[in-house]
Amino acid sequence: MDDSSAERREAHARWRAGWRTETALNAMMSDPAVQRLKEEIDQLQASMAQELSPLLRRFKERYDRAVRDGDYDLLVRTCPGKHGRWGRICVLDAGHEAEYPHLGTTSEGQAVAWVGTAPDDD
């Protein structure tokens, strides 16, 4: 009975820590300055993607062909870069970061370009 009670207390403590973290993040993300910055980042990513769209189109077609044909050699060389909002979508070759930002498309088919990569926590 004591073990069960201790486990419940530990589970509740974990839940409470998660709730506090989520509450703090929600409060921070709802701040008008953070919302404005998010909008600016989204606009910049869309602008970069527009500028690089010819390159994106060529690499996206190559990537789609590799997926369709099962070209694992090409898929292994594809950049592992991840966008925090859209997941793993960079279609360029690994090692491109010195020359180009990451390029890909959102789940809605919109072009997106970004710098950096999201944590690999999926």
Side-chain angles (χ1 to χ4, degrees):
M1 193 101 148
D2 289 332
D3 288 341
S4 176
S5 180
E7 288 174 3
R8 281 196 308 273
R9 280 193 304 273
E10 288 175 15
H12 181 72
R14 282 192 304 274
W15 174 85
R16 183 102 174 134
W19 177 82
R20 286 180 180 158
T21 301
E22 188 174 333
T23 301
L25 286 172
N26 286 337
M28 181 184 73
M29 293 305 292
S30 65
D31 182 272
V34 173
Q35 291 294 317
R36 189 182 75 251
L37 183 58
K38 179 191 172 302
E39 191 61 38
E40 288 177 25
I41 290 169
D42 289 347
Q43 289 173 358
L44 180 60
Q45 289 178 346
S47 173
M48 285 192 314
Q50 282 300 110
E51 291 175 26
L52 297 168
S53 64
L55 176 71
L56 172 61
R57 189 175 314 109
R58 189 173 78 239
F59 276 94
K60 176 80 169 103
E61 288 170 357
R62 181 187 74 158
Y63 178 83
D64 289 345
R65 220 176 13 260
V67 169
R68 183 187 64 236
D69 299 344
D71 185 348
Y72 299 112
D73 291 332
L74 186 129
L75 292 173
V76 169
R77 293 192 322 258
T78 302
C79 175
K82 291 176 61 178
H83 187 283
R85 184 172 178 189
W86 304 111
R88 183 171 282 116
I89 58 171
C90 186
V91 297
L92 301 179
D93 290 336
H96 66 83
E97 292 90 344
E99 192 172 350
Y100 296 107
H102 294 289
L103 286 170
T105 54
T106 68
S107 57
E108 289 88 21
Q110 298 293 329
V112 63
W114 72 101
V115 176
T117 189
D120 200 8
D121 59 0
D122 57 354

